[in-house]
Amino acid sequence: MSFIGSIFGGYAARQVGRYNRDLYNQEARIIKRNADIKKQTFIDIDKPRIVAQHQRDQSNMLVSFLTSGVDVDRIGGSPFLVMLDQATENAFDLEIAEFNSTVAYQNEINRSLLTEARGRGEQFKGELAYRTGMAKAIGQMAGNYQSTGSLLG
């Protein structure tokens, strides 16, 4: 009657595999949701904050030049070039922040996909243990039948 233990063991392994799959899928959904939240936070909060800071810096620089008596409108002059350089640096800074946000989002999405794959692997392990348990039980029943003439042994 040891085949009954093999059947229950196989069934338990299948259930554990399914449970682990569901658990990993839930974790993957949480990771994806967090990635979406972080991306939206950058769009709604960080990016406008960076742009506002750049505008304040640009305005402060212009006021500083004007109060010093420098002709800011003179193309090719030093104040104009400094302001142009600052505008370029601000744009570059914003692009880096957007790139970093995109890379972080993609990393989180990739992590969620790997977590889902781990769940499928756990389910596969459970199914494999289930089938192994069933095959073992059949072998035990066949051995019982050959030796005693009964499946129960």
Side-chain angles (χ1 to χ4, degrees), residues 32-84:
K32 168 106 174 57
R33 180 68 181 131
N34 285 341
D36 291 338
I37 289 169
K38 288 176 185 176
K39 181 179 181 183
Q40 199 60 45
T41 299
F42 174 78
I43 291 169
D44 293 341
I45 296 170
D46 290 337
K47 186 176 179 180
R49 182 188 53 78
I50 291 170
V51 169
Q53 181 63 45
H54 288 167
Q55 289 172 345
R56 273 191 304 276
D57 292 346
Q58 203 73 4
S59 177
N60 289 339
M61 186 186 318
L62 178 62
V63 169
S64 175
F65 283 141
L66 291 174
T67 57
S68 70
V70 174
D71 183 9
V72 181
D73 292 331
R74 195 169 37 117
I75 304 270
S78 180
F80 175 79
L81 294 177
V82 169
M83 289 174 57
L84 181 63

Side-chain angles (χ1 to χ4, degrees), residues 19-152:
Y19 175 80
N20 286 339
R21 176 206 57 209
D22 293 343
L23 191 65
Y24 279 118
N25 286 344
Q26 179 66 26
E27 183 181 351
R29 284 191 293 275
I30 290 169
I31 292 169
K32 168 106 174 57
R33 180 68 181 131
N34 285 341
D36 291 338
I37 289 169
K38 288 176 185 176
K39 181 179 181 183
Q40 199 60 45
T41 299
F42 174 78
I43 291 169
D44 293 341
I45 296 170
D46 290 337
K47 186 176 179 180
R49 182 188 53 78
I50 291 170
V51 169
Q53 181 63 45
H54 288 167
Q55 289 172 345
R56 273 191 304 276
D57 292 346
Q58 203 73 4
S59 177
N60 289 339
M61 186 186 318
L62 178 62
V63 169
S64 175
F65 283 141
L66 291 174
T67 57
S68 70
V70 174
D71 183 9
V72 181
D73 292 331
R74 195 169 37 117
I75 304 270
S78 180
F80 175 79
L81 294 177
V82 169
M83 289 174 57
L84 181 63
D85 186 48
Q86 184 62 45
T88 303
E89 190 174 315
N90 288 347
F92 186 66
D93 186 41
L94 183 59
E95 286 300 317
I96 289 173
E98 288 177 343
F99 174 79
N100 289 340
S101 174
T102 301
V103 168
Y105 178 75
Q106 290 299 324
N107 286 341
E108 293 289 320
I109 296 299
N110 290 340
R111 202 171 112 216
S112 77
L113 294 174
L114 289 172
T115 302
E116 285 178 1
R118 212 173 311 136
R120 285 190 301 275
E122 287 295 319
Q123 181 184 12
F124 178 76
K125 281 179 12 184
E127 289 296 322
L128 190 60
Y130 170 75
R131 289 189 177 110
T132 301
M134 293 300 121
K136 184 178 176 184
I138 291 169
Q140 289 167 337
M141 287 188 293
N144 289 345
Y145 185 75
Q146 279 187 339
S147 65
T148 64
S150 169
L151 293 176
L152 299 177

Side-chain angles (χ1 to χ4, degrees), residues 2-21:
S2 63
F3 69 89
I4 294 174
S6 296
I7 291 172
F8 283 128
Y11 179 75
R14 173 187 265 178
Q15 294 306 104
V16 168
R18 289 177 178 171
Y19 175 80
N20 286 339
R21 176 206 57 209

